[in-house]
Amino acid sequence: MVFARHARLLAGAMAVACAVLVGPSAPSGVPAAGALPVEDVRHAVANRVMTWNLCNPCEVNNVDRAAEIARYAPQVIGVQEACVRDVERIRDYLKRLYGLVYRVEYGTVLESWRRCGGAPWSPGAFGQAVLSLAPMTDRETVEYPDGGSEDRGYMSVTTMVGGHSVRVFNTHLAQRRQEEFRAEQVGVLAADVARHGRAIVLGDFNAVPDAPELAGMWALAADADPQCRPARIGACRPTTDWQSKFDYVFLRDVAALGHRVVPTPYSDHHLLYADVDAA
């Protein structure tokens, strides 16, 4: 009896220790793991696409990033400044906490210990990723011939948006004040986009709408925000903390039904999503 009592006390102490070490299973306001069955994707919006620069390196918890995405539950998500480890954790939280079962494809172009951690001899992969609730095919990853101060590129996949097959691109162009590099990168990207009759181009272009280097994209597609045009005919919502429009959902032979820019404390870029008609 004494041995059994000691065993129970030891088990209880270990459980408390584990709770202290691990912490709560989810932040305040987030349902506990298993609250939704993983097969339940009824809350996803089949014709919604989202782009979000995750901001790396940033001191951000991936469970918070997942919660932001789950609030709007898009069919397709394009993320930039994405470490593979972070995307895997976000994807896992979306599944376990919200029942949103995303597939993922990567367009990483850089190995970066500073940004993504890992062992010095095996740094984390960094770049873009596309998450989709529907299967993705024909993935392509292209590194721009000159990324500027850091390797940059784009990726593309074919997947379903609103019940229709669409080619989805996701890119991150050269940093600010590197216009000449972005102009060359847009030329490479636009030539690929032009090969597809129906396409959605997501990403952080690091350029405002009337920047000359974006001319090649405007010649092929329109932004989901009808007020965002090269001529600035209306009030174009900023997508960054420094009040610039850098993030786009370019639509080629796809109609925009609505869009929203959502400021978030978890990145210096806002969430941008659009509801579209790809029929």
Side-chain angles (χ1 to χ4, degrees):
M1 292 179 61
V2 173
F3 176 79
R5 179 173 180 271
H6 285 173
R8 287 195 299 271
L9 290 174
L10 178 60
M14 291 180 65
V16 171
C18 288
V20 171
L21 289 172
V22 175
S25 60
S28 177
V30 175
L36 293 175
V38 296
E39 298 84 7
D40 184 4
V41 294
R42 290 174 298 171
H43 299 292
V45 183
N47 66 331
R48 178 168 294 171
V49 295
M50 174 185 288
T51 183
W52 192 17
N53 183 312
L54 295 180
C55 180
N56 273 315
C58 286
E59 297 298 324
V60 176
N61 192 320
N62 287 310
V63 74
D64 294 322
R65 288 170 166 161
E68 288 286 86
I69 292 171
R71 288 173 62 191
Y72 308 104
Q75 173 76 14
V76 173
I77 311 159
V79 291
Q80 307 86 41
E81 293 196 19
C83 297
V84 168
R85 292 184 183 92
D86 287 328
V87 173
E88 285 299 323
R89 292 185 183 110
I90 292 168
R91 183 183 175 214
D92 182 59
Y93 287 131
L94 286 166
K95 177 180 178 179
R96 290 194 296 112
L97 300 180
Y98 305 100
L100 295 166
V101 185
Y102 285 97
R103 298 155 172 90
V104 63
E105 294 287 355
Y106 295 99
T108 53
V109 295
L110 180 67
E111 300 294 315
S112 177
W113 179 84
R114 179 180 66 85
R115 286 183 178 271
C116 297
W121 56 89
S122 181
F126 177 78
Q128 291 75 243
V130 171
L131 297 92
S132 175
L133 290 168
M136 292 177 279
T137 60
D138 303 320
R139 179 185 66 88
E140 292 186 6
T141 297
V142 177
E143 184 173 345
Y144 292 123
D146 197 332
S149 56
E150 181 179 82
D151 294 345
R152 295 288 165 91
Y154 71 89
M155 62 177 298
S156 61
V157 298
T158 298
T159 189
M160 302 296 288
V161 178
H164 299 274
S165 178
V166 179
R167 191 67 176 172
V168 176
F169 293 80
N170 182 21
T171 191
H172 188 193
L173 299 190
Q175 295 176 0
R176 287 179 287 176
R177 294 179 293 278
Q178 296 184 2
E179 295 86 352
E180 68 277 15
F181 296 106
R182 290 197 297 274
E184 294 178 3
Q185 292 165 4
V186 168
V188 174
L189 174 62
D192 198 351
V193 173
R195 296 172 44 236
H196 300 273
R198 180 187 291 140
I200 298 174
V201 186
L202 310 170
D204 173 7
F205 284 74
N206 271 319
V208 294
D210 61 350
E213 62 267 28
L214 293 190
M217 282 306 306
W218 289 118
L220 291 173
D223 188 62
D225 182 350
Q227 299 297 315
C228 286
R229 297 291 182 269
R232 293 199 177 191
I233 60 174
C236 186
R237 290 284 305 276
T239 63
T240 66
D241 287 352
W242 52 93
Q243 298 301 304
S244 294
K245 161 79 171 179
F246 276 7
D247 304 272
Y248 296 82
V249 176
F250 280 113
L251 304 175
R252 176 173 168 82
D253 198 25
V254 176
L257 301 178
H259 75 283
R260 186 177 175 189
V261 176
V262 185
T264 168
Y266 306 118
S267 175
D268 54 1
H269 286 251
H270 307 336
L271 287 170
L272 169 61
Y273 72 79
D275 295 335
V276 303
D277 182 359

